[in-house]
Structures are given as C-alpha cells and as structure tokens.
Amino acid sequence: MLLRHTSKEVKEREGLTINPAKTCQPIGAMYAALGIHGCLPHSHGSQGCCSYHRSTLTRHYKEPVMAATSSFTEGASVFGGQANLLAAIDTIFAVYDPDIIAVHSTCLSETIGDDLQQITKKASDDGKIPDGKYVIYASTPSFVGSHVTGYANMVAGMANQFAESTGEKKSQYNMIAGWMEPSDMREIKRLAKEMGINIVLFPDTSDVLDAPQTGKHVFYPKGGTTVAELKSSGDSLASFALGSISAEPAAIALEKKCKVPFETLDIPIGLSATDRFIMAISKMAKIEVPDEITAERGRLVDVMADMEQYLHGKRVALFGDPDQLLPLTEFLLDLSMKPVHIVSGTPGQRFDKEMRVMLEKRSPETKFKSGLGADMFLLHQWMKNEPVDLLIGNTYGKYMARDEDIPFIRFGFPILDRIGHSYFPNIGYNGSLRLLEKILNVLMDRQDRDALEEKFELVM
Amino acid sequence: MEANKIIPDPAQVREELIEKYPAKVAKKRSKSIIINDPDTIPEVQANVRTVPGIITQRGCSYAGCKGVVLGPTRDIVNIVHGPIGCSFYAWLTRRNQTRPESPEDANYIPYCFSTDMQEENIVFGGEKKLKIAIQEAYDLFHPTSIAIFSTCPVGLIGDDVHAAAREMKEKFGDCNVFGFSCEGYRGVSQSAGHHIANNGVFKHMVGRNNEVKEGQFKLNLLGEYNIGGDAFEIERIFKRVGITLVASFSGNSTVGAIENSHTADLNVILCHRSINYMGDMMETKYGIPWMKINFVGAESTAKSLRKIGEYFGDEGLKARIEAVISEEMPKVKAAVAEILPRTKGKTAMLFVGGSRAHHYQDLFSELGMTTVAAGYEFAHRDDYEGRQVLPGIKVDADSKNIEELKVVADPELYKQRKTEAELAELKEKGLEINGYEGMMKQMTKKSLVVDDLSHYESEKLIEIYKPDIFCAGIKEKYVVQKMGIPLKQLHSYDYGGPYTGFEGAVNFYKDIDRMVNNPVWKLIKAPWEKKSTGLAASYVTQ
C-alpha cells in the first residue's frame, strides 16, 4: 500500500494537515498573471516560491512558465525587500522587456510588512517603469485562503489597476474567468461568439499555456488579455463573474471603480450550470439562444438519457476547489450519481452555505468539509469507512485510487501525470459531454475488467 | 571527442551573453561566465546572490534541506512548519523511490505533513500549533523520528522549532524529534539547505546506534537520493561484489541505517555539493575517510568500484569487482556499439544541480558526445575548480549565517580506519581520499562554464551553439523544446532511469538516442511553411 499509514479511525486534528487539498496563494496569482498578454509574473519573496510555482505550473501544462523572483536573502528579510524589488524591476525591463510586470507577495514579504503599493509607486516615481509599461501588484499572503484566493486577488488587481471608465459604454460584456484551464477559456470565447456577444475575457491563458510548437520560444505568446482590453473593461455593459470565490472579487472591484454591474455565476461545468450561464447571457444581452447551442445541449442530454443505467447511484468521492466542486457536484446529481464525500482545503463561508443548501435538497447524507482540516487524509479515511465507485480530483488522488482500487478521474489542479486538460474543455455542453465520456469510460472499463467471463458484454 | 559542429569562439559568446544586461548586472555575471582551461583552471564566481529579476533556476534553502537531503528517507515523519505551499510543492515531486522491506514497514514518502499556518499563527506565534501537530503525528503514526522544517515566516516571527522539538522528544521518550532552521531566505540557494540538513542529520541521527553489524567491506553511500531508482542499481552492484551498504544518505534509506552509519569503514560520496559536510564531519568524529566516486557512467562505475576495492585492499574483493565488471560490461559495450554511430559528434549542454552537470558528462562522452558548455545551479567554487581552492574561498555574509558545527573526535567511537601511511600509499595508487578535483578539470579547453545560468543566457547559448541536447530541469524543459531542441531533465530524469551503474548507463544511452534522433524534431515545420524557405536549399542538403 502506498498510503499504508492511513487508518479507518477518524480523529479530530487541530494542528496537523496531512495530504492537503489546496496549496498557497502565490501560485494562483502567478497563473492568473500569465493570462495577461505580454506580462511577466513576479514573485516577491524567496527564490524557492517562484521556483516551486513555476515547476508545478510547468508540470501541469507541459509548457514554458516564465516568472521572476526578488530573490530574498537574509538581509532582505531583515531590512525589507524594497531594494530587491526595485532592482528586479530594472533587470526585468532591461532584459525581458515585458509590457507588464505583475508582482505578487509571499508569506515572507507579507510577514516583514513590505507594501507593494508603496514600492511600485516608488518604482514609478523613480522612473524605473518605462513609458507605456506597467507594474501591477496583488497582495497574496500564503497564510490566508488558498491558491484560489491568490488567483482571485490577482484578477481583482487587474480590474482595479487597469479598468478605466471613459463615460462612454462599449457594446461588450466582461467575462471574468474563475480558475479554469486555457481550453475552458477558449470554450468561453467560442460560446460567447455563438451567442453573438462581444466579451472581454480576463484572465485568458489560452494561446499562452497551450502554445504551438513552432521551433521558436515566444517569450510572450500571442494569447492573454491585452492592456487595451483590460482598460476597456470599465466601459463594458456588465460583468459575468464565473465563480464566486475566484472571479467575483474582480467583478466587485469593477463595480466599485467603474460602476459596471455584475452577475455571479457558477463556472459552467455540467448541464445545469451551463444552462444558467447561457440563460444569463441571453437575459442580460436580450438575445435568443441560437439553435446551435440548443443542439449542443441536446446532444449532452441525449447521452445522459441513453447511458443513465451506468451512472445511476454510482458513489463518488471528490476533492478540489470550491468554484469547480459546486457545479461538478450538481452535474453528478443531474447524472443521478451519488456524491458521498466532498473535500476542499479552500475555506469559504459562502461556498459552504451554497454546497450545504444544494446537498440538503438533493443528497442530505453527503459528507462535506472545507477549509482547515479538510484534507485528502480525511477524505481517504471517509472512503475507507464508506467506499465509493469513483474518485474525482487532482493527480494526488491516484495514490488513494490505487490503494482502494477504484476508478479515478483527474479533474482540477494540479494534473501532473496526464495531458488533455489544457486542450479539451470541461465546461459548456460540449465540455460536459467530454467529462461525461470520461466518467462513463472509467466506470465501464471497470465493469469490463471485473465481469465474470459469462457476464462479459459485447454491447453496452 | 570532436564535435561535428564548429564550436563558436567562447570569448565572443561571453560578450554576447552579458551585452543586454544593465552595467552592474553585466559586471557581476561576467565573473560567473568562464572560458575553461583544464590545465590552469580559472576562478569561477559561484555561491553568490542571484540578481533579482534575472530569472534563475535556483530554489531555496528549504528545498535543499527537506526536499533534497531529508525527503528520500522513508520512515521519518517530515512536518513542514509554515503555510501550506512549501509542504505541498515538495510532496512526491522529486521522485525519491523507496522500497520498504515489508508491507508493514513505515513509509511516509507518499504523505505530506504541514502545520498549515494561518494568519493568527503568524501574528501570535505558531509554536503551540506546531506542538499540537507533532503530538497528532505521534498519536496517529508512532514513528521513530519526526523532523520539523522551518519555512520563511517561522524564522521571522521567532518560533523556536528546536525548543519545541526537544520538549516533545522528552515527552514521548520513544520518538526522536528534531528541527531544521532551513527558512527559504537563508543562504543564496538550495545549497544552504544541504548544509543545514547535514548538520541536523549529523547532530540528531548519526551515532545513535553503535551495534556493529556483519559485513567485511562496509561503507556508506553519501549524496545518492535514489531518483528514478539510482540507488537500487548501486545496491545491486554492491551486493554482487560483496560490499555491505551500511547506510545511504539518503535514497531508499531508513532512520535505523543512518543512526548506525558511523560503524562503516568508508564513506563514498556521489553528490559532493549536497553532502560533503557529512563526509568531513564523520571523518573528524569517527575516523571514517571519504572518497569521491561516481556511479554515473559505465566506465566511471567500473573506476569507482576499483577505487573502493583498492581502498579495502582485499584481493578477493578486487577479484570479484573485476569479475563483475567483465560480466556487466559486454551489455554496455553492445549498447554503445549500436547507438554510438547515431550520437557520435553531437553536442550537449548541462546546467543543473551541484554535481549532475559534472557526472553526466561521463555518460555523454561514452556516447561520443561533446559537452560544449556546463554549469551548476547552486554549487560552490570547489565543485568547479576542485577542493584545493577551499582555503581561499571568502566567507560572505550569506554563508556566514549557516552554522559550521564544531566537530571533535569522539572519545569512544573514534577509530582511525587508515593510518597516515596507509592513506599516503593509497594516494600513490591514485586514490584521492577526502578530495574532489571538480568539474572543470574534465572539460575541454575553451568550453564554457556558467554558474547560476539565467533564462536569458540559456536562450542565447542555444541560439549560438545550437546543441543537440540540453540538460536542465522542469522549468527549462518546455522552453528549450519549443526551440526545437530536446531537453533531458537531470533532476527528475523525465520520469525514467535509473541512470547509475551499468544498467543505468544503458538506459541513458537509449534515452538520449531516442531524444536526439526522434523524428518529431523534423516535423515541426508544416509542409506549406517549408516551401517559402526555398526548395532549392532543401534539395542541396539532401
């Protein structure tokens, strides 16, 4: 057994997290910043943070992930990191010439009290930021929230520091992407186009973290939301925030700064969440849903109906991030499956409430925990006590899946051992169909594997 | 070995590498970019601060301490005291394979333990939470050892992890608890963490079990972390020749083995950078000499085995070593004969680690490939120039903060393994005891040596040299491959390996052959893109 020390008996823990279902803020900020065109993320802290985040993102995407660090030493930790950040800004503009440097803090710089607003202002006052270039920042202390919080803070930073209102509205809507894959962002753009609305999608990591092989390394790939687009977000008719934890803070910032009204939606994973997404656009933009979208929906429902026998009552354990878990759980319920254990390391009262309301209504016996103590060790113990037919979560789940011999679907962040997530979406009707196909494949492969010879089916 | 390509003028390359830098940065970097001369080895600036913003390969002290040195030993519960990220990122990512002897034996490597510090712990201190975490780990797992690793904020808020460890150790009575002050900001790279780890392992683990176990030729393998199963291959060879491995530091290792390691009669060091402190300290305290060996490369493995045979001076052992070498080598030779025609004359660059950039040159030369440029990510001058430069290395502010243990001979356990006369005799025979000649002596004249290579410099080097393969880590992997050049990861081995010993050498040859000759590199351009570059040119080259 790989996880041989995980026992069935659950004991309350107050100090020790084991096998976390979350990581820290800065990596989320780094990921979000990669979704701005011409932007170099910068980690204000020790070198290790930047190295770890780049490594993890690289393993997940199998793509270049460029980012710089303030390279704190003991001296900087005692006297403050201002000199390091100013030196870094000089070096970065001279050597790597980005349009934007997006600085995020770390537990180190937050603990010593470095003020990124003040330091970036000083950089500007000292003439260290060339004309037409920008340094933006987000405060992302690792000891608060999770990687999702860091993502949200950097995206809110984009809205706060770029959005402008000219007084003249533009015929466009902001689509604020919650934490999702480049493939999902590409799908959002396609769906908006199908619906016939103009959108500013931010951040947008498509064409950044799924760049083609051309024989050249393009340091700033063609994708990413441009500064002009980000600025114009203040003139948009309204914002859609996809994800209450990872996207809504940016929508609130836009409302405050530029009076852009917003609606918060779930990330459109699964049938119901995609329905709400499409309906919201239709209502807000006062447009009919085009036939092609209705057909896409129909194809998904068709498969759900045709294959229901392989799904009904199947017991699922899942772990991951709030903005994904809510619509994913809902999708499983729509598929007549049974989510029995749900864990997220990311804390959030609203998430807790929304999840509990949904579960109370549709699956009251589901075990659910989030925030401190909600880790994969606990999930594994729950699984040992009440076994499941399927596990859904990031790559770390494979150790539990192997030990317990249960089918496993990789979903969320990070996925370190398979490709596909950056190329094929899991959102919208088409993406949900792909997710459904994956669920069916692992369940039906398992049935084939375990079937007695006389019960082995040709047609399923 | 002559390269197929014309090697550019290194002096000019050096100028090009620093041209774009601001003056101060250029001045600093120029001291770390050196044109090699194996006869009169020039000085390389190393183990100095990285320029902020330059995009470095380096990580932090915590990574070196927990990730590199302590991580591979399977039966320690390693609790990271800090916010969640540090423990999360070091969770299983280094591929330290381990093979517990039975299904009941402890193995905590697949687990990730953290105190998951929250804002209130930063404001009011985290020691209380740490002690609760240690207690919970003890209650849940009853391990023989618990190690605590400090992350950046811990040092700043003043949590005393060592006091907490002492208190809990006393309380438990049957569990060794010890801490490491390996905050990420210490030193200038992972290297500081290696030193901190060496100190802690030496203080808290080595020498706790004096039982002298059976075995005629007993040694410890230092600086081998069993990435991709490297230690398994070395263990296989040791077993064949009749060498007893007392402890490995720290791949596929256990607490028990390390605690007993001072009963060995020789320390062999693979990764000099990460573990040389341990070699020195064990020599002073217990009288065990150390010897630099290299099990990366088939010829190097044979050479290293012969050195070990010579050290023990036993004719039977020497004969067995020769027998094993002659049994193992035909497979290796056959693989080389098959592959070499496809790799001969190709060029490689290695920018990785604190010893791998040196060791892997042996494997490339066995494939007839030339290393045109190399450098380390976190090494010191001695790893480049050889240990003779040690007395002259200036201790700067960053190194001064890393504790140097004051070690003296143990009144009871010190036992001189070799007399001065015996050591002198071994030296005569070409055995370098307690020495390391470094990377540059082995590299060709006019090859380029670059310490702490920046991203910018790596792109420039590739542009100028167009090497056939580039060796580095995960952060560099896909950047270089986007440039149409295969990158071999020498931290994770691209999830392959082992690459040590005889079987490992064959694995490596096959992997490099597969990479440099893969058809994909010729498929990058679409047919319609090729047309515009001129049909005539492509006919001429065909």
Side-chain angles (χ1 to χ4, degrees), chain B residues 203-279:
Chain B
K203 257 200 293 198
H204 299 293
M205 296 176 75
V206 175
R208 279 168 60 92
N209 177 357
N210 296 329
E211 183 194 346
V212 179
K213 294 188 182 145
E214 267 180 52
Q216 207 180 346
F217 311 108
K218 293 196 288 194
L219 55 72
N220 300 314
L221 178 60
L222 271 55
E224 163 48 60
Y225 304 110
N226 202 24
I227 291 166
D230 279 352
F232 296 150
E233 167 66 358
I234 300 171
E235 286 170 18
R236 182 186 73 86
I237 296 169
F238 282 174
K239 205 168 172 188
R240 286 203 72 192
V241 300
I243 290 169
T244 305
L245 178 63
V246 180
S248 153
F249 289 66
S250 50
N252 193 34
S253 199
T254 60
V255 171
I258 292 173
E259 289 180 344
N260 189 237
S261 61
H262 60 297
T263 64
D265 295 315
L266 171 67
N267 282 328
V268 293
I269 291 188
L270 192 51
C271 175
H272 174 261
R273 180 68 268 133
S274 62
I275 207 93
N276 74 89
Y277 320 93
M278 183 64 71

Side-chain angles (χ1 to χ4, degrees), chain A residues 1-7 9 11-27 40 42 46-56 58-59 61-75 77-78 83-85 87-92 94-97 107-108 111-112 141-147 210-219 347 371-373 376-377 380-381 394 396 399 413-414 416, chain B residues 20-22 25 49-60 62-64 67 77 79 83-94 100-108 110-120 122 129-130 132-134 136-137 139-141 151-153 156-157 183-190 377 398 401-402 452 454-457 459 474-485 495 521 524-525 529:
Chain A
M1 290 293 209
L2 286 159
L3 298 166
R4 57 181 63 185
H5 301 285
T6 306
S7 60
E9 191 197 349
K11 281 185 196 160
E12 194 73 21
R13 278 173 282 129
E14 281 170 17
L16 189 66
T17 292
I18 312 173
N19 302 348
K22 66 166 177 184
T23 181
C24 66
Q25 281 212 46
I27 195 171
L40 185 71
H42 182 86
S46 295
Q47 277 160 189
C49 309
C50 187
S51 179
Y52 276 134
H53 304 148
R54 290 182 65 204
S55 296
T56 305
T58 305
R59 290 181 186 118
Y61 286 111
K62 321 277 184 236
E63 284 291 311
V65 173
M66 305 313 300
T69 165
S70 291
S71 293
F72 271 51
T73 56
E74 194 146 358
S77 307
V78 175
N84 286 51
L85 184 50
I89 289 171
D90 273 342
T91 310
I92 290 169
V95 182
Y96 297 108
D97 195 30
C107 50
L108 174 55
T111 303
I112 63 177
S142 322
F143 41 77
V144 176
S146 76
H147 58 296
D210 56 357
Q213 170 63 277
T214 59
K216 259 194 201 141
H217 172 232
V218 183
F219 197 102
L372 276 183
M376 278 186 232
F377 186 75
H380 194 182
Q381 290 184 313
N394 70 35
Y396 283 99
Y399 289 78
F413 178 85
L416 309 168
Chain B
K20 206 175 175 184
Y21 288 139
V25 178
R49 290 179 191 179
T50 298
V51 176
I54 202 163
I55 306 191
T56 172
Q57 299 183 316
R58 284 175 170 178
C60 65
Y62 158 79
V77 168
I79 301 178
I84 197 68
C86 305
S87 195
F88 181 85
Y89 303 117
W91 182 15
L92 283 166
T93 44
R94 281 188 54 82
E101 278 164 28
S102 79
E104 287 75 41
D105 278 0
N107 177 17
Y108 300 105
Y111 289 86
C112 169
F113 303 101
S114 169
T115 56
D116 193 0
M117 281 176 104
Q118 301 295 300
E119 193 155 22
E120 72 210 50
I122 301 290
K129 190 170 193 190
L130 172 63
I132 294 171
I134 297 170
E136 286 170 351
D139 292 341
L140 277 169
F141 307 114
T151 62
C152 290
L156 294 173
I157 63 174
E183 289 86 349
Y185 56 74
R186 292 200 193 275
V188 299
S189 70
Q190 291 94 313
E377 185 182 335
D398 299 307
N401 295 328
I402 314 301
D452 186 19
S454 75
H455 169 78
Y456 174 75
E457 292 157 17
E459 288 218 13
I474 184 72
K475 299 192 292 290
E476 296 76 32
K477 169 97 183 169
Y478 304 102
V479 179
V480 173
Q481 299 214 148
K482 278 279 192 279
M483 299 169 88
I485 289 168
Y495 328 106
W521 306 116
I524 291 172
K525 287 273 169 259
E529 288 176 316

Side-chain angles (χ1 to χ4, degrees), chain A residues 353-371:
Chain A
K353 201 178 145 204
E354 283 174 26
M355 185 64 100
R356 286 192 199 287
V357 166
M358 176 167 61
L359 291 173
E360 226 160 84
K361 224 186 284 171
R362 301 180 65 179
S363 179
E365 60 282 15
T366 301
K367 277 203 164 89
F368 163 60
K369 190 174 166 98
S370 73

Side-chain angles (χ1 to χ4, degrees), chain A residues 62 65 85 111 153 185 203 214 217 229 274 312-313 340 411 428:
Chain A
K62 321 277 184 236
V65 173
L85 184 50
T111 303
N153 285 339
M185 294 177 183
T214 59
H217 172 232
E229 287 171 320
T274 306
H312 174 76
V340 286
F411 184 93

Side-chain angles (χ1 to χ4, degrees), chain A residues 375-386:
Chain A
D375 51 29
M376 278 186 232
F377 186 75
L378 176 70
L379 179 71
H380 194 182
Q381 290 184 313
W382 282 353
M383 281 161 56
K384 280 181 184 291
N385 286 295
E386 293 169 67

